[in-house]
Amino acid sequence: AQKVTQAQTEISVVEKEDVTLDCVYETRDTTYYLFWYKQPPSGELVFLIRRNSFDEQNEISGRYSWNFQKSTSSFNFTITASQVVDSAVYFCALSEPFSGNTPLVFGKGTRLSVIA
Amino acid sequence: SQTIHQWPATLVQPVGSPLSLECTVEGTSNPNLYWYRQAAGRGLQLLFYSVGIGQISSEVPQNLSASRPQDRQFILSSKKLLLSDSGFYLCAWSSGGQGMIDTQYFGPGTRLTVL
């Protein structure tokens, strides 16, 4: 069964610190997609990244980077030099598009607070 | 470019009253549409999704229902609200097609309080 675990419920860091948000997933499919979304205080979920199961290359976008490791079923998200604007709830999600299961399963989210 | 709208933005309703939340998407055709609920301090729960007009899949049995009267319109309804229906309701869309491969993009949400 598909499952996403974000073990860190809340993280608090001081501005300019680096922070890593963990995501561990479970799937029986060989074809799947992993996502990260950001939910700022306004509530809208903002798409950050999508990675398919055949592409294990790490991704960097500005201060954001993602480490996908199939060997440990993890898709971790690192924010470098964190800023107050990074304060939000971050969700990791898993899609198994050909399984007939729920289209997108979310983890419970990690609330990140960046303190000035 | 595609945009997704939801209204109302906030709603306060008494227990037992009806509900109608609307979601519309612009700039795309035949999208897949989704309704999620997020209870206070909790994760997202998929309620319904639709791959076409009149086609609704329900993920969780409850007193809510969904309808898709037009290609880019998705409506969430209830005949009688419960206290437990309070939460943040998010609509999302993705490109239509087989396998639901594409990314889901979310609307601004409706915050519902049932008193």
Side-chain angles (χ1 to χ4, degrees):
Chain A
Q2 40 179 181
K3 184 179 178 181
V4 177
T5 301
Q6 295 180 254
Q8 305 149 308
T9 306
E10 294 190 30
I11 301 176
S12 185
V13 299
V14 176
E15 203 170 21
K16 298 184 182 178
E17 286 185 350
D18 299 347
V19 59
T20 295
L21 310 181
D22 297 333
C23 173
V24 174
Y25 62 92
E26 294 179 26
T27 179
R28 295 181 181 175
D29 281 20
T30 55
T31 302
Y32 55 90
Y33 293 80
L34 294 164
F35 302 80
W36 277 95
Y37 287 86
K38 174 182 180 180
Q39 187 177 39
S42 62
E44 180 176 350
L45 259 74
V46 178
F47 165 71
L48 296 178
I49 190 171
R50 180 178 101 163
R51 174 67 75 224
N52 74 58
S53 52
F54 301 108
D55 182 4
E56 282 194 76
Q57 281 194 347
N58 291 332
E59 176 107 1
I60 297 175
S61 177
R63 297 183 296 107
Y64 294 173
S65 62
W66 290 269
N67 185 348
F68 177 27
Q69 293 197 345
K70 292 176 73 172
S71 61
T72 56
S73 297
S74 65
F75 186 42
N76 295 338
F77 174 29
T78 297
I79 302 175
T80 302
S82 60
Q83 299 176 2
V84 172
V85 293
D86 296 326
S87 296
V89 180
Y90 291 87
F91 291 95
C92 181
L94 166 69
S95 169
E96 299 170 339
F98 305 111
S99 67
N101 291 335
T102 299
L104 192 63
V105 172
F106 285 84
K108 294 187 183 299
T110 297
R111 181 178 299 278
L112 173 66
S113 298
V114 181
I115 304 167
Chain B
S1 63
Q2 300 86 6
T3 55
I4 179 169
H5 304 279
Q6 286 187 244
W7 63 89
T10 60
L11 191 59
V12 180
Q13 292 284 93
V15 169
S17 64
L19 172 74
S20 181
L21 303 181
E22 189 165 342
C23 169
T24 58
V25 180
E26 295 177 355
T28 186
S29 297
N30 195 31
N32 295 327
L33 297 172
Y34 311 83
W35 277 113
Y36 289 86
R37 177 170 62 198
Q38 185 177 29
R42 303 187 66 177
L44 289 109
Q45 178 187 40
L46 179 64
L47 302 175
F48 302 95
Y49 67 94
S50 171
V51 299
I53 295 175
Q55 301 178 61
I56 309 295
S57 296
S58 175
E59 289 291 299
V60 181
Q62 56 207 330
N63 69 319
L64 299 173
S65 62
S67 62
R68 185 170 175 173
Q70 300 181 44
D71 181 43
R72 290 168 289 178
Q73 184 185 31
F74 205 23
I75 297 173
L76 183 69
S77 303
S78 174
K79 292 182 179 179
K80 286 186 177 181
L81 283 168
L82 307 172
L83 285 174
S84 57
D85 291 325
S86 292
F88 190 54
Y89 288 81
L90 286 154
C91 182
W93 75 275
S94 66
S95 295
Q98 305 242 341
M100 296 194 176
I101 293 173
D102 289 321
T103 300
Q104 292 184 27
Y105 298 94
F106 287 79
T110 294
R111 197 166 300 281
L112 171 66
T113 303
V114 182
L115 302 175

